[in-house]
Structure formats: structure tokens, C-alpha cells
Amino acid sequence: MKCIILAAGYATRLYPLTENYPKPLLDIQGKSILERLLDDIQTIPLIDEAVIVSNHKFYEKFLLWKASLHTRLTVTVIDDGSTNNDNRLGAVKDIGFAIEKCKLDEDILVMAGDNLLDFSVNGFIDFFTQKRTSCIMRHYEPSAERLRRTGVAVIDENGKVLQMQEKPQEPLSSWAVPPFYIHPQSDLHYISEAIASNACGTDAPGSFIAWLCQKAVVHAYLMPGKRFDIGNKESYLEMQKNYK
């Protein structure tokens, strides 16, 4: 299994903090967000490589960070060629770019480079191993306001995803979906198909899941803990204080 970490955003809501520095490399209690993600996935024997998708603006900074990194994983940093927020590829196209550039032809774990969990993804991997379908995470979110800013899934009694919405004005459920996904090798062709046919939005990865669950079986893993999303200065300061 390979892990794709999406780190090509420009984090304009965090300016000036991220105007000349990538958000995934921001420090959280002595370690970067990205390093904390790698600390977890390197404990999972199935995963042997992490592919980090950068934009062109911050590519050299990721290479410099990688030079001092200590991990058992093979870490590959790739440049998606974008230079600013206006010409960014978007998360779905970045996943497709990583698959094509690195010639990936096996199961993949996809993670956003600006989100952290207070639990290991090892249970998520075990869930995928049992289901052998594309999988998403889910957690209960009672706030309609917060649901409008994330993915929302409709789930049946067996954990199958019946419908997925990306940042809906009228959420159909209270199951929020953070940007952590697993796709089996057999589903990878759907990513290039969706991009080529303009079948879904390409900015948020949840847009692809919304399309995919109409084409293939997708299951939702119930999260055993919390996720931390660094979307603005306030959330960054909160994570600095409360992340464990």
C-alpha cells in the first residue's frame, strides 16, 4: 500500500503565516503536521511509501524538510506545477497526478496534509482490509454549521455509503467525513475516469467520493477519536494548545 499526502494547497486563510511557508510543515508542539502524519503511518507494515504532492512554490521547502527526515518509509516529493491559488490543480487532480507520476498500481491511502487525528489510522487500514472496497472515515457532527463546511455521508445499517455531499447547504445526515480515504487498486481507474469526463468537482477530494459511491461500493469507518483541521489562525492556535 502507498500513502498519498495532499500538500499542494496555498492556505491563504492563514496568511501571513503561510504566505511563504507550506501549511503541512507548520510546527505542532515540536513537530510538523506532516511529520506527525508520517510518525503514524510508518507504524503500519502494509505501507512502504509516502508520496507527498507539493505545489511548485513550496517544492524546494519540502525537499529541504525531507533531507533531515528520519523514517523507515520511502518518501517521494512531487511537484504538481501550480504556482498560486488561482492555478492550483485541486485535490482530485493531485491524486490522479500522483498515481500517474509515480506509476502507482496498488491500494492507496489518501490523507490531507493539514489534518491530524488523535488516534492511529491502523484501525482504518484494518477496516479496509475486511471490506476490500473504497473506504472513508466518519464521525457524528451535531452542528449544521460545521456540516456545511465538510463532507457529509448518508450511511446504511451496514456502513455502506449511500450518498455523499461535499459542503452541502442542506446536510442529509450528521455523519461528517474528514479527508482520509482508502482506495483498492481495483478502484484507481475511477479517478482518471472522473477527471477525464469532468464527472465531479476536482477541488475537494470528497467530490470524487460523491461520484464514486454511485459507481462502486464505498464503506464508512466510524472514527474512534477526533480530527483536527487547521483551516485558519484560530484553529492552528487551538491545535497548538490542545492536540494530544
Side-chain angles (χ1 to χ4, degrees):
M1 178 180 285
K2 307 297 185 188
C3 178
I4 297 174
I5 301 179
L6 302 173
Y10 290 87
T12 55
R13 288 184 294 164
L14 274 167
Y15 278 15
L17 193 61
T18 53
E19 190 166 5
N20 295 297
Y21 199 71
K23 180 163 62 166
L25 296 187
L26 290 178
D27 179 85
I28 300 293
Q29 300 177 8
K31 283 189 177 182
S32 68
I33 301 166
L34 194 49
E35 190 172 357
R36 289 190 177 280
L37 290 173
L38 293 178
D39 280 350
D40 182 32
I41 64 174
Q42 74 171 348
T43 67
I44 301 169
L46 276 177
I47 301 175
D48 60 0
E49 181 179 6
V51 177
I52 298 166
V53 187
S54 168
N55 55 50
H56 186 67
K57 180 179 179 179
F58 294 135
Y59 179 62
E60 295 296 334
K61 285 185 169 57
F62 281 108
L63 291 181
L64 186 63
W65 163 82
K66 176 188 169 183
S68 61
L69 184 67
H70 299 285
T71 177
R72 72 160 184 86
L73 297 166
T74 298
V75 176
T76 304
V77 181
I78 58 176
D79 177 359
D80 77 355
S82 72
T83 56
N84 57 59
N85 203 48
D86 293 329
N87 64 20
R88 70 189 186 278
L89 299 190
V92 179
K93 286 185 177 179
D94 274 336
I95 296 169
F97 173 70
I99 292 170
E100 182 177 353
K101 178 77 173 179
C102 299
K103 296 179 172 56
L104 303 183
D105 191 28
E106 57 188 282
D107 304 337
I108 61 169
L109 166 67
V110 179
M111 311 173 79
D114 60 356
N115 277 242
L116 284 175
L117 304 168
D118 67 358
F119 59 93
S120 174
V121 297
N122 191 49
F124 188 36
I125 301 291
D126 289 343
F127 180 81
F128 163 75
T129 301
Q130 295 167 13
K131 298 296 185 182
R132 292 305 307 174
T133 69
S134 285
C135 293
I136 63 175
M137 288 188 182
R138 60 172 165 140
H139 65 90
Y140 181 75
E141 176 52 71
S143 167
E145 181 182 353
R146 290 182 179 178
L147 288 169
R148 294 188 186 101
R149 300 197 302 266
T150 189
V152 175
V154 178
I155 314 293
D156 74 8
E157 65 276 9
N158 297 312
K160 179 182 175 182
V161 181
L162 302 177
Q163 189 173 348
M164 171 89 173
Q165 302 170 288
E166 182 61 32
K167 298 180 180 178
Q169 283 304 303
E170 297 184 10
L172 294 177
S173 82
S174 293
W175 290 119
V177 179
F180 295 83
Y181 316 97
I182 303 178
H183 299 295
Q185 185 276 338
S186 58
D187 279 1
L188 296 190
H189 70 95
Y190 285 118
I191 297 171
S192 57
E193 179 183 329
I195 294 170
S197 64
N198 294 314
C200 67
T202 56
D203 192 41
S207 299
F208 170 67
I209 301 295
W211 176 81
L212 179 65
C213 67
Q214 306 305 315
K215 296 279 186 176
V217 176
V218 179
H219 284 95
Y221 169 71
L222 183 60
M223 293 164 52
K226 298 178 181 178
R227 70 103 171 219
F228 298 84
D229 177 15
I230 305 168
N232 52 36
K233 293 178 185 177
E234 291 73 23
S235 58
Y236 176 58
L237 292 174
E238 180 185 352
M239 183 181 288
Q240 281 281 39
K241 186 185 302 182
N242 298 321
Y243 179 73
K244 296 180 180 179

